[in-house]
Every structure is written in C-alpha cells, then in structure tokens.
Amino acid sequence: MTEAEILICPACDAANRVPRARLIDAPRCGKCKVALFGGKPLALDARRFDRLIRTGSLPVLVDFWAEWCGPCKAMAPTFAAAARDLEPGFRLVKIDTEAEQALAHRYAIRSIPTLMVLADGREVARQSGMMDRASLVRWARMAAAN
Ligand code: ZN
C-alpha cells in the first residue's frame, strides 16, 4: 500500500494524490497550481463540502457558525490559528449555518459554534461552544486518531 493522501484543491476542487512524505513540501494542485494548503480555513457550500468529505482522505475539522452569533465571531481567530497548527494533517472548513441550512439540518446542529471532526466522511466527534487554540488542536488530533 502506498502511503498517500487524496487532497481536494481549495481553489478548483480537483483531487490530488500526494504521498504522505510530501505533505510538508507545500504541495500544489496539479490542475490549477494553487497551494493545496493555505494555512487558513475554507468557507465551503454544501456541494464543495460533500466533495471534500467524500473524495478527500484527510480528516476534516468543521466550524459551524453564523454571522449573528457573537461567540462564533469570538471563536473565528482561534479557529483560523488552529488551521496553521493542524495543516497538513487536517482540512479546516467553515460552514455558514444560515447559508447552508440543509447541512446544518443534516448534522442536527442545535447550537453554534459547533465544532466537528469527520474522518472517512463520517462524524467522529463534536463539541459545542468555544475552545481555546491548544484545546481545539489536541481535541481534533485525538478525535481523528481514534
Ligand atoms: Zn486546483
């Protein structure tokens, strides 16, 4: 078995096969040449989110949020910083629960912010409410390792 990951391009959604040993070498998309990791969360709609979790192989850390939610806004810089800690082992995604109500409904999001870890396309952990950066990073890594 070759140790490789399938990375979905943050710009064009192309699937890129990258050996694990090359993940730290700032890999670029074979199709559009954009860096596959930008050190920041991706804001995705339902179509792009589904492509990521169905085709991509990395664990995904999701922040379900909304514009009107004060704690979500307070959490945003922490989540962005966690992207720098967790890439390239994770893909970090933000889902606007107002714009993507079907997704929020699918995952039964009752309060925000809700943070969720998905592995192989399935939810493996969730937590509602704010977390500090170190706790968030530790929690996500433990959830994905189980
Ligand atoms: Zn691309």
Side-chain angles (χ1 to χ4, degrees):
M1 190 179 103
T2 313
E3 294 286 325
E5 300 283 359
I6 305 298
L7 305 180
I8 305 303
C9 174
C12 76
D13 286 336
N16 288 265
R17 193 168 183 285
V18 178
R20 275 202 194 134
R22 297 284 317 280
L23 286 179
I24 55 168
D25 298 337
R28 290 185 171 270
C29 176
K31 190 173 170 193
C32 77
K33 308 303 177 194
V34 158
L36 290 171
F37 296 102
K40 60 184 181 195
L42 303 179
L44 299 182
D45 61 17
R47 185 186 58 80
R48 297 192 67 202
F49 177 76
D50 281 339
R51 171 150 177 84
L52 176 66
I53 65 167
R54 286 172 189 164
T55 309
S57 65
L58 287 182
V60 177
L61 174 60
V62 188
D63 175 14
F64 289 92
W65 72 287
E67 187 63 37
W68 50 263
C69 161
C72 297
K73 288 192 166 173
M75 179 76 205
T78 300
F79 194 73
R84 296 193 289 276
D85 295 331
L86 289 167
E87 288 185 355
F90 279 80
R91 182 64 89 192
L92 273 69
V93 172
K94 291 177 75 77
I95 299 291
D96 180 340
T97 55
E98 287 292 306
E100 303 299 335
Q101 294 185 10
L103 266 186
H105 184 73
R106 186 204 296 174
Y107 290 104
I109 303 300
R110 290 183 195 85
S111 67
I112 48 175
T114 287
L115 301 156
M116 184 180 294
V117 177
L118 295 101
D120 299 322
R122 289 193 313 273
E123 176 183 348
V124 294
R126 79 163 66 188
Q127 182 155 326
S128 295
M130 294 177 64
M131 262 192 276
D132 66 56
R133 178 175 173 175
S135 302
L136 174 61
V137 167
R138 194 180 324 117
W139 173 76
R141 284 187 175 136
M142 279 184 61
N146 286 336

